[in-house]
Structures are given as structure tokens and as C-alpha cells.
Amino acid sequence: ILMVDEKEKNMKCLTFFLMLPETVKNRSKKSSKKGNSSSSSSSKLPPVCYEIITLKTKKKKKMAADIFPRKKPANTNTTAVQQYHQQNLNNNNTIPAPNWQGLYPTIRERNAVMFNNDLMADVHFVVGPPGGTQRLPGHKYVLAVGSSVFHAMFYGELAEDKDEIRIPDVEPAAFLAMLKYIYCDEIDLAADTVLATLYAAKKYIVPHLARACVNFLETSLSAKNACVLLSQSCLFEEPDLTQRCWEVIDAQAELALKSEGFCDIDFQTLESILRRETLNAKEIVVFEAALNWAEVECQRQELTATIENKRKVLGKALYLIRIPTMALDDFANGAAQSGILTLNETNDIFLWYTAAKKPELQFVSKPRKGLVPQRCHRFQSCAYRSNQWRYRGRCDSIQFAVDKRVFIAGFGLYGSSCGSAEYSAKIELKRQGVILGQNLSKYFSDGSSNTFPVWFEYPVQIEPDTFYTASVILDGNELSYFGQEGMTEVQCGKVTVQFQCSSDSTNGTGVQGGQIPELIFYA
């Protein structure tokens, strides 16, 4: 028998009453002597003696999680625990075991058992649009503790006592992800459901889950999904995510505009992209992307994708495309023959290119500013003339890492030290052996110690705190400049770049000297 002494409860005294074996033996002897006595007389036997032992414990309270460290159940219970977890992943399963609580040492684990479980459920949710609903069990107390919206729904002044609640605007998978966080304190996100989960977290005011969704989106952000995420970030009022999306769209504009996700954005987002001053793309690419969006929009509005309907769905957004800033060849072979422009508009734009007195246009005629590339120079000096740098098809390579997300647009390379010369350069950017970008091009050096830019086809996104390998194979005049007094760390604006030697380098380039003197990037 376990008793807490009320007088000593501040000391957390635990009093145990133990029946002594000797006392039991004496009582047995007395009972045998009175074998002929009635039952009433036997009930008057003297009370059993007890010895009182008091154990004093420390004042500090300990929670179950402190007493029982989180670990796997014993082997005998492992199968049962896994079975219960699997039942939770399925729907509406009750736990048959009479003492399932004994399998879980902490309140967190016992609470997690109730996730998606009909056991003791006092409310049900019919989640999803008509034709795709799923009925999910819930427990009002747990839900109210995890969300102020659920608290108002079940315990507020205007609470309604309903056994079933319909939620047609939330996907079942997203609602389950939110319930798993509320019940189990676990965040389980997937790329195909994270946006729907963010919507659910916003709707029911679960801020920590919403923040986790935004972090997930930021880490998975790329040119392929930047436009869609831009549209969603504005809808969810997430300014940090919006800024991240703009950084990707500006730097990798042509990739973003050519992505399938661009055609899925809403009209307001389309206007904001077409209006963007820092968009780093050719205007013909912007024009073609707008036409692709118009074709998909016609399908969404159940219209035939004719030239007239495409222009109709584009509306005034068409005039945000800076057609007069296109190269003349791009306009003559592209926009002028697309049929999307009227005959008068086509004639006026041609006059804009050729006439001294230019006509007034509804289109924006000022070129976009684009992005200004930054250059990270890693050498303090260079050698020339008397020293030669032999190439012979071998690789010059260096590894680098940054502390902020940047977009590598190309490399700055040295040229000939004995007059003008032409070089062929194969540049490459890798991460853990995987090629992220490469290009083969030629550049002309004028004999000076300046660096000459060689560009990738598209800027390559570089994540912070990870080393990447920059490589180049040069073919040209072997009497060329090369860098000396290399630095292991360079501060370039708000970006810190670290350098280290690469095992791919087979031509002498390293941190202290060699080729690849500059990284050209957008930040």
C-alpha cells in the first residue's frame, strides 16, 4: 500500500505499510488455537501490526520523460507498438489491447497513439472536396490545446456541438499532416503536399507548423517552382518567402519563365513578373513565356486557344512586355510574326527601330535594368611573360563555398601574356561530383592582365555552407597570366567566399596560385 503523508507532502514523503512475516506467523498460531470458535469471535482478533517506513525524496518534480528516457520498447512489445503505429496511419482503428498505455512511458507517446484513432474520439471531420473526402477522427481537448481556432470552435462562446464537421477547402493529406503535428509533435512534410499543409496551418493558426512549411519551401526553392511559390507566398502573406522567390526569378529568369510552373500562376502574379525591372532575361523569352501562359489560361477558362482569345486573356499585361527593346532580329522573326500584335502595332514598332522620329507606343520602351554581376577575385597579384602556364588539355580546378545563396553566372579567366590571342574554354561547376552547369565557349584576350568573362548558359544556384568545384580546361596560347598570393577567404559585398584545393585539379591550380581568378555571380 502506497500513501502520501499529508503533513509531509512538501517533502514528498512516501510511506509504505509493510506486513511483517513474524506478525503473520503469530496471528496464524492464535487462529489455530481457536479452531472451534465462531466466525464472530475470529473477527475480533487483534489488528495486524505494521511497520512504517518513510522514504523522503527530493523536492524537484520529475516528469515521465525525465524518468523514462525515450527508447524503443522491449522486444516483446515492439511488434505491438509497430502495429498500433500502423493502425494510426490507416483510418479509424481502435486499439484492442487492454493495457496499451503501458507500452508508452511518456505522455507525448501516449498522446500520439490517439492520432487518427477512433478510440475516445468525440468529433469527426469530413475533409476534402466532394468526391475526394476522407472522414477523420479527432479529440476536442487535444485539438483545442494545439490550435486557437479549434479552441474557439469547441469551447468558445459561439461553440457548436456537432459530431461531424465538414472541411471542403483542405486536402485530406494536408489535414492529416497538421493533426500529426498537433498530436505527435512531429512535422512530416512532402513536396507535393507542403503548400496544402501551409494553407491548413494558416487557416487553423498553427504558427510553428506554418514556419516549418515555409522553411521547407525555401530550401527546395528553384527556378522550376519559383513562380508558383511566388504566387502562393503572396496569397499566404509570407514576405520572406516572397523575397526568396524574387531572388531566384531575377537571377534565373529565363529558366523560371520556361518552366511549366510559370503557366500555373494567376494573372496578378503574371503582371508583377512582367513588370519586374530586375528580370535578367531577353525580352523575346519574356514574350514567348507570356504566350505560353495565355494558351494555358484559355484552357482554364474553357476557351479555344486562338490568337484573339490569347490576346483577350492577356489583356493589358501584353503592354508590360518590352517589345521595342528586343533585338531587331528577335522582333522580326518572333513577335512580328506571332499574330498577337495588330498591324498598326507591328508597323509602329518597326518605325521605332528605324525612324528618326519615333512614334508613341503603348508598350514600355525602356530596357530592363537586369542584375549587376558581382566579381570575387581571389588573387592579390599575377605573373606574366617570363613565366608560362602550359595547358595541354589538363584541368584547372578550385573548390569554394559561400555563406549566402548566390547564383554563379560564370568565371573570370586570364588571357595571353604576349599579345592578343583567342582561347577555347570548357567551364564546369559540380557539387559532390554532380555536374550543375557547364559550357564550351571561346573568348578573345587583348594581351593585358585583365580577366575575361566566360558565362554559363544559365546562372547556377549555389546553396550556403557547401563546397562546390569550379573547373576549366583551356586551350590556347601557353604564355598566359596566372594568379599568385591566393586568399583562402574573400569578402565580396555581403557574401563571404572560402576557397580550398580541389583533387580534380591536374594542372597546378590551387588556393595559392593558378587559374580561375574570378567567380562571377548574382546575389
Side-chain angles (χ1 to χ4, degrees):
I1 302 173
L2 174 62
M3 184 185 78
V4 178
D5 192 332
E6 289 296 327
K7 294 181 181 180
E8 296 288 334
K9 66 181 179 180
N10 291 333
M11 296 296 292
K12 302 297 181 296
C13 290
L14 305 180
T15 304
F16 293 87
F17 292 82
L18 304 177
M19 180 181 290
L20 300 178
E22 190 64 30
T23 304
V24 177
K25 181 178 180 181
N26 293 337
R27 181 169 180 171
S28 299
K29 290 180 179 180
K30 292 180 181 179
S31 299
S32 61
K33 291 180 180 180
K34 297 183 179 181
N36 299 328
S37 302
S38 62
S39 59
S40 60
S41 61
S42 63
S43 63
K44 297 180 180 179
L45 290 174
V48 178
C49 295
Y50 299 94
E51 181 173 344
I52 300 176
I53 302 175
T54 302
L55 304 178
K56 293 186 178 180
T57 62
K58 295 181 179 180
K59 292 184 180 181
K60 181 181 179 182
K61 291 184 179 180
K62 285 189 176 182
M63 305 300 291
D66 300 322
I67 301 173
F68 303 100
R70 185 173 179 82
K71 59 182 179 180
K72 294 183 178 179
N75 293 334
T76 56
N77 295 332
T78 300
T79 303
V81 172
Q82 292 176 347
Q83 177 184 355
Y84 299 155
H85 284 170
Q86 183 60 40
Q87 288 175 338
N88 288 356
L89 294 177
N90 300 328
N91 195 24
N92 301 342
N93 287 297
T94 57
I95 294 180
N99 186 29
W100 61 268
Q101 294 89 341
L103 297 173
Y104 304 93
T106 67
I107 184 63
R108 177 180 177 273
E109 292 175 301
R110 292 192 292 274
N111 198 57
V113 174
M114 294 294 99
F115 163 60
N116 197 22
N117 200 317
D118 260 329
L119 183 66
M120 296 184 285
D122 51 2
V123 66
H124 284 80
F125 301 95
V126 180
V127 186
T133 60
Q134 188 173 347
R135 194 170 186 269
L136 304 174
H139 307 78
K140 293 182 179 179
Y141 166 73
V142 178
L143 295 171
V145 170
S147 163
S148 59
V149 174
F150 283 128
H151 181 272
M153 185 184 298
F154 300 134
Y155 302 106
E157 295 180 357
L158 302 177
E160 297 182 9
D161 189 14
K162 291 183 178 180
D163 294 331
E164 190 171 274
I165 299 173
R166 295 188 176 274
I167 308 175
D169 59 329
V170 178
E171 294 181 11
F175 197 79
L176 273 172
M178 183 181 67
L179 292 184
K180 187 172 185 179
Y181 171 75
I182 293 175
Y183 277 81
C184 311
D185 198 24
E186 295 179 11
I187 297 175
D188 187 10
L189 301 174
D192 55 344
T193 59
V194 63
L195 283 173
T197 304
L198 176 59
Y199 174 77
K202 288 281 187 175
K203 178 177 180 178
Y204 292 97
I205 311 181
V206 187
H208 297 290
L209 178 60
R211 185 66 251 171
C213 291
V214 172
N215 290 338
F216 183 94
L217 292 171
E218 288 181 353
T219 56
S220 60
L221 184 61
S222 68
K224 294 181 179 180
N225 59 17
C227 294
V228 173
L229 294 184
L230 174 67
S231 177
Q232 297 297 324
S233 66
C234 295
L235 176 65
F236 294 135
E237 297 180 348
E238 288 289 343
D240 292 340
L241 180 58
T242 300
Q243 179 59 32
R244 293 284 188 182
C245 291
W246 278 126
E247 291 174 2
V248 174
I249 293 171
D250 283 341
Q252 297 180 303
E254 294 193 1
L255 282 177
L257 294 172
K258 292 178 180 179
S259 67
E260 294 182 3
F262 178 79
C263 296
D264 296 329
I265 62 178
D266 57 89
F267 183 77
Q268 184 178 357
T269 305
L270 173 71
E271 284 188 310
S272 63
I273 292 176
L274 296 182
R275 194 179 285 113
R276 188 76 173 171
E277 189 69 30
T278 50
L279 210 59
N280 198 37
K282 295 178 181 178
E283 207 62 32
I284 186 63
V285 177
V286 179
F287 177 79
E288 292 171 349
L291 290 188
N292 292 335
W293 179 90
E295 184 173 352
V296 176
E297 182 65 16
C298 286
Q299 297 174 7
R300 284 193 287 263
Q301 297 186 21
E302 298 181 354
L303 299 172
T304 306
T306 62
I307 295 298
E308 292 76 13
N309 286 335
K310 288 182 183 179
R311 177 152 184 149
K312 177 182 178 181
V313 297
L314 280 172
K316 294 182 178 180
L318 177 64
Y319 297 110
L320 297 175
I321 305 172
R322 307 188 183 192
I323 295 177
T325 67
M326 291 181 185
L328 181 57
D329 288 346
D330 289 340
F331 174 71
N333 298 318
Q337 299 186 41
S338 66
I340 203 74
L341 303 176
T342 65
L343 184 59
N344 288 336
E345 288 170 343
T346 303
N347 290 336
D348 287 346
I349 294 174
F350 267 121
L351 289 174
W352 175 269
Y353 283 109
T354 58
K357 184 179 180 181
K358 300 184 183 299
E360 292 185 3
L361 300 175
Q362 288 184 278
F363 296 93
V364 180
S365 57
K366 183 180 179 181
R368 302 179 195 272
K369 294 180 180 179
L371 293 177
V372 178
Q374 300 184 44
R375 294 173 179 254
C376 175
H377 196 91
R378 67 188 190 94
F379 294 126
Q380 299 181 67
S381 65
C382 63
Y384 61 95
R385 294 189 187 281
S386 59
N387 297 282
Q388 61 181 0
W389 191 273
R390 299 182 182 274
Y391 299 116
R392 298 177 182 177
R394 290 179 296 198
C395 180
D396 289 291
S397 182
I398 192 72
Q399 287 192 333
F400 69 94
V402 294
D403 62 344
K404 292 181 177 62
R405 175 184 286 169
V406 300
F407 301 86
I408 296 293
F411 304 147
L413 303 178
Y414 288 126
S416 172
S417 60
C418 57
S420 60
E422 186 179 62
Y423 284 84
S424 175
K426 180 184 178 181
I427 60 173
E428 194 173 74
L429 193 59
K430 295 189 295 185
R431 177 183 179 182
Q432 297 177 349
V434 178
I435 297 176
L436 304 178
Q438 61 181 3
N439 197 19
L440 178 61
S441 63
K442 295 182 178 182
Y443 68 94
F444 184 82
S445 68
D446 57 7
S448 69
S449 60
N450 297 330
T451 58
F452 303 91
V454 179
W455 307 94
F456 289 105
E457 184 178 4
Y458 302 109
V460 180
Q461 181 171 311
I462 302 298
E463 298 298 333
D465 306 321
T466 301
F467 273 94
Y468 292 78
T469 303
S471 302
V472 60
I473 298 176
L474 288 168
D475 184 18
N477 194 332
E478 292 191 349
L479 289 174
S480 69
Y481 290 92
F482 59 91
Q484 295 184 136
E485 298 180 277
M487 296 173 284
T488 57
E489 183 174 298
V490 179
Q491 188 71 32
C492 189
K494 296 182 179 180
V495 180
T496 302
V497 186
Q498 293 180 323
F499 294 95
Q500 68 180 23
C501 293
S502 169
S503 59
D504 291 348
S505 187
T506 58
N507 200 41
T509 290
V511 174
Q512 296 300 320
Q515 300 297 326
I516 317 180
E518 282 184 342
L519 300 178
I520 306 173
F521 64 94
Y522 302 116

